[in-house]
Amino acid sequence: MKEKRRLNYWKNEYIGRILVTFCGLLIVITTLSIIAFICGKGIQSFTENGISLKEMLFSTEWKPSDSHPKYGAVIFIVGSMLVSIGAVLLSTPIAIALAIFMNFISPKFGSAVLKPVLELLVGIPSVVYGWLGVTLLIPLLREWFGGVGFSLLAGIIVLSIMILPTITSIASDALSGVPFSYLEASYGLGSTRWQAISRVIVPAARTGILTGIVLGLARAFGEALAVQMVIGNTVKLPSGLYSPTATLTGILTMDMSNTINGTAWNNALWTLAMILLFISFFFIVLIRMIGQRGER
Amino acid sequence: MTSRVVDKVWTSIFYVIAAFVISLLIFFFVTVLSKGWGFWQPDFLFGKPSNTQAGGGVGPQLINSLYMLVITLLISVPLGLGAGIYLAEYAKQGRMLNFIRLCIETMASLPSIVVGLFGLLAFVTLTGWGYTLIGGALAITILNLPGLTRICENAILDVPSSIKEGSLALGATRWQTLVKVILPSALPQIMTGVILAAGRIFGEAAALIYTAGLTTPLLNFAADLSSKAHPLNVFRPAETLTVHIWKLNSEGIVPDAKIIAAKSAAILVIMVLLFNITARFASAALQRYFTGNRRRTTKKKMSNVA
């Protein structure tokens, strides 16, 4: 009898528990193996092809098909940085304004119209954004500024629309987390709505807003196809906003299949993937640090 | 300017920005649909693509996209649900849990191209499968698992603890409580999350270029299931609609590449719209179903009120 009860309990509790524990562990295993695989492959350009770390990180020359090949990743790192930072600079003010609108100006309209609009903006696939960039934005830029149109500026504009929902939703959460008493106290002191928002609410929510900005930056950094479609992909440092350049993700999408596995060129590309991975780690650390500072 | 005027000015600025973003979305939809007008024609939806002549369709790509979505959901929903249950119900506070959360965060912030390259190493080269649909599905599973886990965990945590305690007090084990009591009441929220995730799976492209490939073999339902020509064989290269748009843009040599890309974009946008609307209705309907307020009772209530 006791045996049977134990068996029943085992059946009713442990099988399920083991299964879900396995699912939890699977996440850990997958994450670790991604890191191991990418780093294992990315490090080969240093160990097997003798490319120096200094050249990779500080040289602006990327000439993998030359007779004296050069593998400097600076152009791609700088290109990725400029395009993401530009997108964040363009997107953040609009995102914060939207978050304020949804929480304080017109919450009803915000939740009935703006929220679904932002959800749809998130849902639009990145290739469609890229396609919109190529068919709408590029001709427009060409008309205004002349030239080819494919440029850093085009990348920034496309990306800023893509990361707008990310920043907005996190900033909105942060703003709605500010205690209502703050607003009341501010009104009680005779401030207008704008004064209360700009001097009390937004400063009180700045940690959350900052987290949103960093997440937006991380998303912009990792975005591949939409940027690759509009940025021009010329391997040189941009001379200005309206000049084409290349990004880490762009060069990876284009060149990985053109190179033969095991060659120095191919290994150098894997190193670029590893750099991309490390940069995304950096953003996680940054977000954690902001979160900890906010708790204090 | 008095502070009241400043307040008025800023309020109107907020209205202008909100209106701008809304009109931007409307503008996008109108542009995509007008440029891709005619995307519903059967010749295009189900036709074979042509590499050299105008007038080809996107039949195989559409099949691939939908099939990829189904396979990915079959893999990722159970895994995400399991991991969510583990985190919400079984994991003990401490170092291990912290580490798992760090892993989820890491996974969630991985650039999709990096996941695609991992897929190239793990599911294409290491397994020796080559570019396959299942490899693509596994890569998108990695991309979506953190999000799904979080959705499931939050849905389970949102179930009132009194319900759970009631079940435990009646002598049910934790697992029985979970399956028979907690999951049903968490289901509406989980469903909404899954449908929204489905939209994202449908739109993913970067992770698929190096896992599911840029080609599709000629599909033929009459072929053997193990042959690469059978549409349901998961071990075949499968270019999806999103990848197709990208490919047309970067290396398309078909004379009507632009129109095909526009029409494909229109299909994608319509699908996104459908997923969003379905998610809304599904969550409302399931909520009604599980809280016992089926239509008849609501009607009665309404008439009582009236």
Side-chain angles (χ1 to χ4, degrees), chain B residues 187-221:
Chain B
L187 199 63
Q189 219 175 318
I190 294 176
M191 278 299 276
T192 319
V194 167
I195 296 171
L196 286 176
R200 238 164 293 142
I201 292 169
F202 202 78
E204 181 51 46
L208 292 176
I209 293 174
Y210 293 118
T211 49
L214 295 171
T215 55
T216 306
L218 276 175
L219 297 180
N220 178 10
F221 271 103

PDB file of all heavy atoms in Angstrom, chain B residues 187-221:
ATOM      1  N   LEU B 187      -3.834  30.250 -18.827  1.00  0.00           N
ATOM      2  CA  LEU B 187      -3.828  30.011 -20.269  1.00  0.00           C
ATOM      3  C   LEU B 187      -4.100  31.251 -21.139  1.00  0.00           C
ATOM      4  O   LEU B 187      -3.404  31.456 -22.132  1.00  0.00           O
ATOM      5  CB  LEU B 187      -4.804  28.889 -20.621  1.00  0.00           C
ATOM      6  CG  LEU B 187      -4.568  28.260 -21.982  1.00  0.00           C
ATOM      7  CD1 LEU B 187      -3.210  27.598 -22.031  1.00  0.00           C
ATOM      8  CD2 LEU B 187      -5.644  27.245 -22.304  1.00  0.00           C
ATOM      9  N   PRO B 188      -5.081  32.093 -20.787  1.00  0.00           N
ATOM     10  CA  PRO B 188      -5.338  33.252 -21.666  1.00  0.00           C
ATOM     11  C   PRO B 188      -4.088  34.096 -21.888  1.00  0.00           C
ATOM     12  O   PRO B 188      -3.764  34.449 -23.025  1.00  0.00           O
ATOM     13  CB  PRO B 188      -6.400  34.042 -20.907  1.00  0.00           C
ATOM     14  CG  PRO B 188      -7.058  33.070 -20.033  1.00  0.00           C
ATOM     15  CD  PRO B 188      -6.038  32.041 -19.681  1.00  0.00           C
ATOM     16  N   GLN B 189      -3.402  34.374 -20.790  1.00  0.00           N
ATOM     17  CA  GLN B 189      -2.204  35.208 -20.894  1.00  0.00           C
ATOM     18  C   GLN B 189      -1.126  34.515 -21.723  1.00  0.00           C
ATOM     19  O   GLN B 189      -0.457  35.136 -22.553  1.00  0.00           O
ATOM     20  CB  GLN B 189      -1.683  35.471 -19.491  1.00  0.00           C
ATOM     21  CG  GLN B 189      -1.178  36.870 -19.299  1.00  0.00           C
ATOM     22  CD  GLN B 189      -0.781  37.094 -17.847  1.00  0.00           C
ATOM     23  OE1 GLN B 189      -1.463  36.666 -16.923  1.00  0.00           O
ATOM     24  NE2 GLN B 189       0.328  37.760 -17.653  1.00  0.00           N
ATOM     25  N   ILE B 190      -0.967  33.191 -21.503  1.00  0.00           N
ATOM     26  CA  ILE B 190       0.043  32.445 -22.254  1.00  0.00           C
ATOM     27  C   ILE B 190      -0.290  32.455 -23.740  1.00  0.00           C
ATOM     28  O   ILE B 190       0.578  32.683 -24.590  1.00  0.00           O
ATOM     29  CB  ILE B 190       0.154  31.003 -21.725  1.00  0.00           C
ATOM     30  CG1 ILE B 190       0.694  31.008 -20.292  1.00  0.00           C
ATOM     31  CG2 ILE B 190       1.054  30.155 -22.612  1.00  0.00           C
ATOM     32  CD1 ILE B 190       0.748  29.657 -19.640  1.00  0.00           C
ATOM     33  N   MET B 191      -1.578  32.233 -24.041  1.00  0.00           N
ATOM     34  CA  MET B 191      -1.990  32.205 -25.450  1.00  0.00           C
ATOM     35  C   MET B 191      -1.655  33.519 -26.157  1.00  0.00           C
ATOM     36  O   MET B 191      -1.125  33.529 -27.266  1.00  0.00           O
ATOM     37  CB  MET B 191      -3.500  31.967 -25.549  1.00  0.00           C
ATOM     38  CG  MET B 191      -3.918  30.520 -25.445  1.00  0.00           C
ATOM     39  SD  MET B 191      -3.224  29.538 -26.756  1.00  0.00           S
ATOM     40  CE  MET B 191      -4.411  29.853 -28.034  1.00  0.00           C
ATOM     41  N   THR B 192      -1.997  34.632 -25.500  1.00  0.00           N
ATOM     42  CA  THR B 192      -1.717  35.929 -26.108  1.00  0.00           C
ATOM     43  C   THR B 192      -0.237  36.055 -26.405  1.00  0.00           C
ATOM     44  O   THR B 192       0.169  36.463 -27.495  1.00  0.00           O
ATOM     45  CB  THR B 192      -2.114  37.064 -25.138  1.00  0.00           C
ATOM     46  OG1 THR B 192      -3.334  36.707 -24.525  1.00  0.00           O
ATOM     47  CG2 THR B 192      -2.254  38.358 -25.868  1.00  0.00           C
ATOM     48  N   GLY B 193       0.587  35.694 -25.410  1.00  0.00           N
ATOM     49  CA  GLY B 193       2.031  35.781 -25.600  1.00  0.00           C
ATOM     50  C   GLY B 193       2.509  34.911 -26.739  1.00  0.00           C
ATOM     51  O   GLY B 193       3.356  35.322 -27.538  1.00  0.00           O
ATOM     52  N   VAL B 194       1.959  33.695 -26.829  1.00  0.00           N
ATOM     53  CA  VAL B 194       2.404  32.766 -27.868  1.00  0.00           C
ATOM     54  C   VAL B 194       2.033  33.306 -29.253  1.00  0.00           C
ATOM     55  O   VAL B 194       2.830  33.248 -30.189  1.00  0.00           O
ATOM     56  CB  VAL B 194       1.794  31.364 -27.649  1.00  0.00           C
ATOM     57  CG1 VAL B 194       1.988  30.489 -28.870  1.00  0.00           C
ATOM     58  CG2 VAL B 194       2.423  30.715 -26.436  1.00  0.00           C
ATOM     59  N   ILE B 195       0.839  33.879 -29.370  1.00  0.00           N
ATOM     60  CA  ILE B 195       0.435  34.385 -30.692  1.00  0.00           C
ATOM     61  C   ILE B 195       1.326  35.557 -31.114  1.00  0.00           C
ATOM     62  O   ILE B 195       1.751  35.648 -32.262  1.00  0.00           O
ATOM     63  CB  ILE B 195      -1.046  34.800 -30.690  1.00  0.00           C
ATOM     64  CG1 ILE B 195      -1.909  33.562 -30.439  1.00  0.00           C
ATOM     65  CG2 ILE B 195      -1.437  35.429 -32.011  1.00  0.00           C
ATOM     66  CD1 ILE B 195      -3.359  33.852 -30.189  1.00  0.00           C
ATOM     67  N   LEU B 196       1.637  36.432 -30.137  1.00  0.00           N
ATOM     68  CA  LEU B 196       2.527  37.541 -30.478  1.00  0.00           C
ATOM     69  C   LEU B 196       3.914  37.032 -30.844  1.00  0.00           C
ATOM     70  O   LEU B 196       4.560  37.540 -31.767  1.00  0.00           O
ATOM     71  CB  LEU B 196       2.607  38.530 -29.316  1.00  0.00           C
ATOM     72  CG  LEU B 196       1.346  39.389 -29.139  1.00  0.00           C
ATOM     73  CD1 LEU B 196       1.473  40.256 -27.909  1.00  0.00           C
ATOM     74  CD2 LEU B 196       1.091  40.246 -30.367  1.00  0.00           C
ATOM     75  N   ALA B 197       4.374  35.995 -30.127  1.00  0.00           N
ATOM     76  CA  ALA B 197       5.673  35.399 -30.459  1.00  0.00           C
ATOM     77  C   ALA B 197       5.622  34.798 -31.861  1.00  0.00           C
ATOM     78  O   ALA B 197       6.595  34.869 -32.616  1.00  0.00           O
ATOM     79  CB  ALA B 197       6.042  34.336 -29.434  1.00  0.00           C
ATOM     80  N   ALA B 198       4.463  34.231 -32.219  1.00  0.00           N
ATOM     81  CA  ALA B 198       4.320  33.639 -33.548  1.00  0.00           C
ATOM     82  C   ALA B 198       4.550  34.694 -34.626  1.00  0.00           C
ATOM     83  O   ALA B 198       5.190  34.435 -35.642  1.00  0.00           O
ATOM     84  CB  ALA B 198       2.933  33.017 -33.692  1.00  0.00           C
ATOM     85  N   GLY B 199       4.026  35.904 -34.370  1.00  0.00           N
ATOM     86  CA  GLY B 199       4.252  36.985 -35.327  1.00  0.00           C
ATOM     87  C   GLY B 199       5.730  37.264 -35.504  1.00  0.00           C
ATOM     88  O   GLY B 199       6.207  37.487 -36.610  1.00  0.00           O
ATOM     89  N   ARG B 200       6.456  37.242 -34.382  1.00  0.00           N
ATOM     90  CA  ARG B 200       7.883  37.517 -34.462  1.00  0.00           C
ATOM     91  C   ARG B 200       8.621  36.389 -35.190  1.00  0.00           C
ATOM     92  O   ARG B 200       9.541  36.632 -35.959  1.00  0.00           O
ATOM     93  CB  ARG B 200       8.451  37.691 -33.046  1.00  0.00           C
ATOM     94  CG  ARG B 200       9.118  39.034 -32.861  1.00  0.00           C
ATOM     95  CD  ARG B 200       9.323  39.331 -31.404  1.00  0.00           C
ATOM     96  NE  ARG B 200       8.054  39.521 -30.732  1.00  0.00           N
ATOM     97  CZ  ARG B 200       7.784  39.105 -29.503  1.00  0.00           C
ATOM     98  NH1 ARG B 200       8.689  38.438 -28.834  1.00  0.00           N
ATOM     99  NH2 ARG B 200       6.616  39.332 -28.961  1.00  0.00           N
ATOM    100  N   ILE B 201       8.200  35.146 -34.935  1.00  0.00           N
ATOM    101  CA  ILE B 201       8.826  34.008 -35.611  1.00  0.00           C
ATOM    102  C   ILE B 201       8.622  34.137 -37.118  1.00  0.00           C
ATOM    103  O   ILE B 201       9.527  33.923 -37.911  1.00  0.00           O
ATOM    104  CB  ILE B 201       8.214  32.682 -35.104  1.00  0.00           C
ATOM    105  CG1 ILE B 201       8.599  32.451 -33.640  1.00  0.00           C
ATOM    106  CG2 ILE B 201       8.652  31.515 -35.962  1.00  0.00           C
ATOM    107  CD1 ILE B 201       7.840  31.332 -32.972  1.00  0.00           C
ATOM    108  N   PHE B 202       7.415  34.539 -37.490  1.00  0.00           N
ATOM    109  CA  PHE B 202       7.083  34.670 -38.905  1.00  0.00           C
ATOM    110  C   PHE B 202       7.945  35.734 -39.577  1.00  0.00           C
ATOM    111  O   PHE B 202       8.278  35.630 -40.744  1.00  0.00           O
ATOM    112  CB  PHE B 202       5.601  35.040 -39.042  1.00  0.00           C
ATOM    113  CG  PHE B 202       5.028  34.698 -40.366  1.00  0.00           C
ATOM    114  CD1 PHE B 202       4.678  33.396 -40.639  1.00  0.00           C
ATOM    115  CD2 PHE B 202       4.845  35.657 -41.335  1.00  0.00           C
ATOM    116  CE1 PHE B 202       4.150  33.059 -41.856  1.00  0.00           C
ATOM    117  CE2 PHE B 202       4.326  35.321 -42.567  1.00  0.00           C
ATOM    118  CZ  PHE B 202       3.977  34.020 -42.827  1.00  0.00           C
ATOM    119  N   GLY B 203       8.323  36.767 -38.821  1.00  0.00           N
ATOM    120  CA  GLY B 203       9.073  37.863 -39.422  1.00  0.00           C
ATOM    121  C   GLY B 203      10.577  37.721 -39.333  1.00  0.00           C
ATOM    122  O   GLY B 203      11.303  38.553 -39.855  1.00  0.00           O
ATOM    123  N   GLU B 204      11.068  36.681 -38.671  1.00  0.00           N
ATOM    124  CA  GLU B 204      12.511  36.559 -38.476  1.00  0.00           C
ATOM    125  C   GLU B 204      13.206  36.212 -39.792  1.00  0.00           C
ATOM    126  O   GLU B 204      12.702  35.439 -40.586  1.00  0.00           O
ATOM    127  CB  GLU B 204      12.789  35.470 -37.432  1.00  0.00           C
ATOM    128  CG  GLU B 204      14.252  35.266 -37.120  1.00  0.00           C
ATOM    129  CD  GLU B 204      14.970  36.552 -36.777  1.00  0.00           C
ATOM    130  OE1 GLU B 204      14.431  37.342 -35.986  1.00  0.00           O
ATOM    131  OE2 GLU B 204      16.064  36.781 -37.314  1.00  0.00           O
ATOM    132  N   ALA B 205      14.368  36.832 -40.005  1.00  0.00           N
ATOM    133  CA  ALA B 205      15.093  36.524 -41.241  1.00  0.00           C
ATOM    134  C   ALA B 205      16.576  36.299 -41.001  1.00  0.00           C
ATOM    135  O   ALA B 205      17.151  35.338 -41.494  1.00  0.00           O
ATOM    136  CB  ALA B 205      14.898  37.651 -42.248  1.00  0.00           C
ATOM    137  N   ALA B 206      17.213  37.189 -40.215  1.00  0.00           N
ATOM    138  CA  ALA B 206      18.671  37.148 -40.093  1.00  0.00           C
ATOM    139  C   ALA B 206      19.175  35.801 -39.586  1.00  0.00           C
ATOM    140  O   ALA B 206      20.201  35.302 -40.036  1.00  0.00           O
ATOM    141  CB  ALA B 206      19.150  38.267 -39.173  1.00  0.00           C
ATOM    142  N   ALA B 207      18.430  35.191 -38.664  1.00  0.00           N
ATOM    143  CA  ALA B 207      18.884  33.924 -38.094  1.00  0.00           C
ATOM    144  C   ALA B 207      18.691  32.769 -39.075  1.00  0.00           C
ATOM    145  O   ALA B 207      19.202  31.678 -38.863  1.00  0.00           O
ATOM    146  CB  ALA B 207      18.138  33.633 -36.795  1.00  0.00           C
ATOM    147  N   LEU B 208      17.925  33.032 -40.153  1.00  0.00           N
ATOM    148  CA  LEU B 208      17.598  31.931 -41.055  1.00  0.00           C
ATOM    149  C   LEU B 208      18.526  31.833 -42.261  1.00  0.00           C
ATOM    150  O   LEU B 208      18.609  30.794 -42.902  1.00  0.00           O
ATOM    151  CB  LEU B 208      16.156  32.088 -41.558  1.00  0.00           C
ATOM    152  CG  LEU B 208      15.097  31.902 -40.486  1.00  0.00           C
ATOM    153  CD1 LEU B 208      13.725  32.167 -41.060  1.00  0.00           C
ATOM    154  CD2 LEU B 208      15.166  30.488 -39.946  1.00  0.00           C
ATOM    155  N   ILE B 209      19.217  32.946 -42.562  1.00  0.00           N
ATOM    156  CA  ILE B 209      20.029  32.970 -43.774  1.00  0.00           C
ATOM    157  C   ILE B 209      21.059  31.834 -43.763  1.00  0.00           C
ATOM    158  O   ILE B 209      21.259  31.153 -44.765  1.00  0.00           O
ATOM    159  CB  ILE B 209      20.738  34.325 -43.905  1.00  0.00           C
ATOM    160  CG1 ILE B 209      19.696  35.406 -44.140  1.00  0.00           C
ATOM    161  CG2 ILE B 209      21.744  34.312 -45.044  1.00  0.00           C
ATOM    162  CD1 ILE B 209      20.259  36.802 -44.150  1.00  0.00           C
ATOM    163  N   TYR B 210      21.680  31.622 -42.582  1.00  0.00           N
ATOM    164  CA  TYR B 210      22.721  30.598 -42.503  1.00  0.00           C
ATOM    165  C   TYR B 210      22.251  29.285 -41.899  1.00  0.00           C
ATOM    166  O   TYR B 210      23.049  28.411 -41.637  1.00  0.00           O
ATOM    167  CB  TYR B 210      23.910  31.130 -41.708  1.00  0.00           C
ATOM    168  CG  TYR B 210      24.603  32.240 -42.422  1.00  0.00           C
ATOM    169  CD1 TYR B 210      24.683  33.507 -41.876  1.00  0.00           C
ATOM    170  CD2 TYR B 210      25.162  32.021 -43.677  1.00  0.00           C
ATOM    171  CE1 TYR B 210      25.301  34.532 -42.548  1.00  0.00           C
ATOM    172  CE2 TYR B 210      25.773  33.044 -44.353  1.00  0.00           C
ATOM    173  CZ  TYR B 210      25.844  34.291 -43.793  1.00  0.00           C
ATOM    174  OH  TYR B 210      26.447  35.301 -44.464  1.00  0.00           O
ATOM    175  N   THR B 211      20.959  29.164 -41.620  1.00  0.00           N
ATOM    176  CA  THR B 211      20.500  27.895 -41.069  1.00  0.00           C
ATOM    177  C   THR B 211      19.509  27.198 -42.000  1.00  0.00           C
ATOM    178  O   THR B 211      19.612  26.005 -42.231  1.00  0.00           O
ATOM    179  CB  THR B 211      19.832  28.094 -39.701  1.00  0.00           C
ATOM    180  OG1 THR B 211      18.879  29.154 -39.810  1.00  0.00           O
ATOM    181  CG2 THR B 211      20.851  28.436 -38.645  1.00  0.00           C
ATOM    182  N   ALA B 212      18.535  27.961 -42.508  1.00  0.00           N
ATOM    183  CA  ALA B 212      17.553  27.342 -43.394  1.00  0.00           C
ATOM    184  C   ALA B 212      17.913  27.560 -44.860  1.00  0.00           C
ATOM    185  O   ALA B 212      17.330  26.965 -45.751  1.00  0.00           O
ATOM    186  CB  ALA B 212      16.156  27.888 -43.121  1.00  0.00           C
ATOM    187  N   GLY B 213      18.882  28.422 -45.111  1.00  0.00           N
ATOM    188  CA  GLY B 213      19.392  28.563 -46.466  1.00  0.00           C
ATOM    189  C   GLY B 213      18.630  29.554 -47.325  1.00  0.00           C
ATOM    190  O   GLY B 213      17.618  30.128 -46.921  1.00  0.00           O
ATOM    191  N   LEU B 214      19.168  29.749 -48.525  1.00  0.00           N
ATOM    192  CA  LEU B 214      18.595  30.726 -49.453  1.00  0.00           C
ATOM    193  C   LEU B 214      17.895  30.056 -50.624  1.00  0.00           C
ATOM    194  O   LEU B 214      17.556  30.692 -51.604  1.00  0.00           O
ATOM    195  CB  LEU B 214      19.694  31.648 -49.984  1.00  0.00           C
ATOM    196  CG  LEU B 214      20.370  32.552 -48.963  1.00  0.00           C
ATOM    197  CD1 LEU B 214      21.572  33.229 -49.567  1.00  0.00           C
ATOM    198  CD2 LEU B 214      19.401  33.576 -48.444  1.00  0.00           C
ATOM    199  N   THR B 215      17.706  28.760 -50.534  1.00  0.00           N
ATOM    200  CA  THR B 215      17.081  28.052 -51.659  1.00  0.00           C
ATOM    201  C   THR B 215      15.967  27.135 -51.169  1.00  0.00           C
ATOM    202  O   THR B 215      15.892  26.818 -49.986  1.00  0.00           O
ATOM    203  CB  THR B 215      18.099  27.169 -52.398  1.00  0.00           C
ATOM    204  OG1 THR B 215      18.693  26.300 -51.431  1.00  0.00           O
ATOM    205  CG2 THR B 215      19.160  27.978 -53.091  1.00  0.00           C
ATOM    206  N   THR B 216      15.126  26.738 -52.098  1.00  0.00           N
ATOM    207  CA  THR B 216      14.118  25.724 -51.815  1.00  0.00           C
ATOM    208  C   THR B 216      14.150  24.741 -52.975  1.00  0.00           C
ATOM    209  O   THR B 216      14.157  25.154 -54.121  1.00  0.00           O
ATOM    210  CB  THR B 216      12.715  26.350 -51.749  1.00  0.00           C
ATOM    211  OG1 THR B 216      12.747  27.413 -50.819  1.00  0.00           O
ATOM    212  CG2 THR B 216      11.689  25.338 -51.317  1.00  0.00           C
ATOM    213  N   PRO B 217      14.198  23.451 -52.663  1.00  0.00           N
ATOM    214  CA  PRO B 217      14.121  22.493 -53.783  1.00  0.00           C
ATOM    215  C   PRO B 217      12.729  22.536 -54.398  1.00  0.00           C
ATOM    216  O   PRO B 217      11.784  23.034 -53.780  1.00  0.00           O
ATOM    217  CB  PRO B 217      14.384  21.149 -53.110  1.00  0.00           C
ATOM    218  CG  PRO B 217      14.131  21.366 -51.664  1.00  0.00           C
ATOM    219  CD  PRO B 217      14.322  22.807 -51.370  1.00  0.00           C
ATOM    220  N   LEU B 218      12.602  22.058 -55.623  1.00  0.00           N
ATOM    221  CA  LEU B 218      11.275  21.988 -56.247  1.00  0.00           C
ATOM    222  C   LEU B 218      10.386  21.104 -55.398  1.00  0.00           C
ATOM    223  O   LEU B 218      10.702  19.951 -55.129  1.00  0.00           O
ATOM    224  CB  LEU B 218      11.400  21.396 -57.655  1.00  0.00           C
ATOM    225  CG  LEU B 218      11.766  22.385 -58.760  1.00  0.00           C
ATOM    226  CD1 LEU B 218      11.967  21.646 -60.061  1.00  0.00           C
ATOM    227  CD2 LEU B 218      10.685  23.445 -58.897  1.00  0.00           C
ATOM    228  N   LEU B 219       9.271  21.672 -54.920  1.00  0.00           N
ATOM    229  CA  LEU B 219       8.431  20.910 -54.006  1.00  0.00           C
ATOM    230  C   LEU B 219       7.415  20.084 -54.771  1.00  0.00           C
ATOM    231  O   LEU B 219       6.866  20.517 -55.774  1.00  0.00           O
ATOM    232  CB  LEU B 219       7.712  21.861 -53.044  1.00  0.00           C
ATOM    233  CG  LEU B 219       8.635  22.647 -52.127  1.00  0.00           C
ATOM    234  CD1 LEU B 219       7.827  23.538 -51.222  1.00  0.00           C
ATOM    235  CD2 LEU B 219       9.524  21.724 -51.325  1.00  0.00           C
ATOM    236  N   ASN B 220       7.188  18.888 -54.247  1.00  0.00           N
ATOM    237  CA  ASN B 220       6.258  17.988 -54.909  1.00  0.00           C
ATOM    238  C   ASN B 220       5.631  17.085 -53.858  1.00  0.00           C
ATOM    239  O   ASN B 220       6.314  16.316 -53.197  1.00  0.00           O
ATOM    240  CB  ASN B 220       7.031  17.158 -55.944  1.00  0.00           C
ATOM    241  CG  ASN B 220       6.148  16.161 -56.634  1.00  0.00           C
ATOM    242  OD1 ASN B 220       4.933  16.192 -56.485  1.00  0.00           O
ATOM    243  ND2 ASN B 220       6.762  15.256 -57.375  1.00  0.00           N
ATOM    244  N   PHE B 221       4.304  17.219 -53.691  1.00  0.00           N
ATOM    245  CA  PHE B 221       3.628  16.451 -52.646  1.00  0.00           C
ATOM    246  C   PHE B 221       3.637  14.958 -52.924  1.00  0.00           C
ATOM    247  O   PHE B 221       3.457  14.154 -52.023  1.00  0.00           O
ATOM    248  CB  PHE B 221       2.188  16.932 -52.479  1.00  0.00           C
ATOM    249  CG  PHE B 221       2.057  18.040 -51.492  1.00  0.00           C
ATOM    250  CD1 PHE B 221       1.898  19.344 -51.897  1.00  0.00           C
ATOM    251  CD2 PHE B 221       2.126  17.766 -50.127  1.00  0.00           C
ATOM    252  CE1 PHE B 221       1.797  20.362 -50.975  1.00  0.00           C
ATOM    253  CE2 PHE B 221       2.028  18.781 -49.204  1.00  0.00           C
ATOM    254  CZ  PHE B 221       1.862  20.083 -49.624  1.00  0.00           C
TER     255      PHE B 221
END
